[in-house]
Amino acid sequence: MEAKEQDVSLGANKFPERQPLGIAAQSQDDPKDYQEPPPAPLFEPSELTSWSFYRAGIAEFVATFLFLYITVLTVMGVVRADSKCKTVGIQGIAWAFGGMIFALVYCTAGISGGHINPAVTFGLFLARKLSLTRALFYMVMQCLGAICGAGVVKGFEGKTRFGDLKGGANFVAPGYTKGDGLGAEIVGTFILVYTVFSATDAKRSARDSHVPILAPLPIGFAVFLVHLATIPITGTGINPARSLGAAIIFNKDLGWDDHWIFWVGPFIGAALAALYHVVVIRAIPFKSK
């Protein structure tokens, strides 16, 4: 019996606990070998001569094209039905947006970072995650991709039906004020960009190896939840390229009257998320497990 107890004691000393959990993991005194990546320069002329720069822009174009194609086509299917019970409904629309973001971020993260949204690009630029040169290029490619994606949907639906179904355009719904719509876009985009920062935080990636693999999942889920909440208010923009593409192809007053909301709101929300990231999240000291 004494021999058995001695073996247990030796085993406990030989294999001490090395993986504290929860709060304990954040209170260790031995920092991991980690340094915050340096901020991106404001201008990076050398990017303009790099193929990877243009490859990333193409990836953003294709991703936003596919995003608009699937999501606007889903919206068309719901709106054209005489009963929402015969379609996927609001939940299905939300799943289409969130699911496509999940899939497309997963596919393009290693090429361009998987932004697929000028508001996300703007927030990452403010946090000095990418240069102004790359940010502007991404935004242009995202908007072009969105226009082409919505245009293909119009080609499928036909000009008359596409116009009658309002083209998937964003606008403030009757019963809500422009202030309501602006507030919904600000908060919704804050949630999205805050999730992007948290899911791609370099400190978490260094501490938890599974975080980069799972990053597209919380980002897509955030898009899904925001759509569930704000589709009845604005149709949910939180992506200026998505709103611009649908508005240009729809091209009626309904799509343009409130269009400024879907640029101002997302950019304010992204700026607040970037500020929160810099002031709060980045300020947290890194501690290894």
Side-chain angles (χ1 to χ4, degrees), residues 3 6 23 29 153 246:
Q6 186 177 8
I23 300 300
D29 295 325
V153 174

Side-chain angles (χ1 to χ4, degrees), residues 62-128:
V62 172
T64 315
F65 168 83
L66 295 174
F67 178 62
L68 265 288
Y69 169 72
I70 293 296
T71 55
V72 173
L73 203 56
T74 302
V75 172
M76 295 287 97
V78 173
V79 174
R80 68 183 293 183
D82 54 359
S83 172
K84 297 298 184 290
C85 295
K86 297 179 181 179
T87 69
V88 295
I90 288 179
Q91 294 87 349
I93 294 175
W95 274 120
F97 278 89
M100 281 302 291
I101 288 296
F102 168 65
L104 294 170
V105 169
Y106 179 83
C107 293
T108 60
I111 305 173
S112 65
H115 297 190
I116 323 171
N117 185 336
V120 171
T121 300
F122 181 66
L124 293 172
F125 164 71
L126 292 181
R128 302 294 300 278

Side-chain angles (χ1 to χ4, degrees), residues 10 15 20 36 39 63 79 83 113 117 119 156 163 176 179 191 201 220 226 243 249 288:
L10 289 173
F15 302 103
E36 185 75 28
V79 174
S83 172
N117 185 336
F156 285 168
Y176 293 96
I191 294 170
D201 182 54
V226 171
S243 300
I249 300 302
S288 69

Side-chain angles (χ1 to χ4, degrees), residues 109-168:
I111 305 173
S112 65
H115 297 190
I116 323 171
N117 185 336
V120 171
T121 300
F122 181 66
L124 293 172
F125 164 71
L126 292 181
R128 302 294 300 278
K129 301 290 186 181
L130 72 164
S131 67
L132 178 61
T133 311
R134 185 174 291 264
L136 292 175
F137 182 51
Y138 276 16
M139 290 181 189
V140 171
M141 296 302 283
Q142 290 158 359
C143 290
L144 290 176
I147 294 168
C148 292
V152 170
V153 174
K154 183 176 182 178
F156 285 168
E157 297 289 339
K159 181 178 180 180
T160 301
R161 181 188 297 166
F162 187 83
D164 292 342
L165 300 179
K166 302 175 183 178

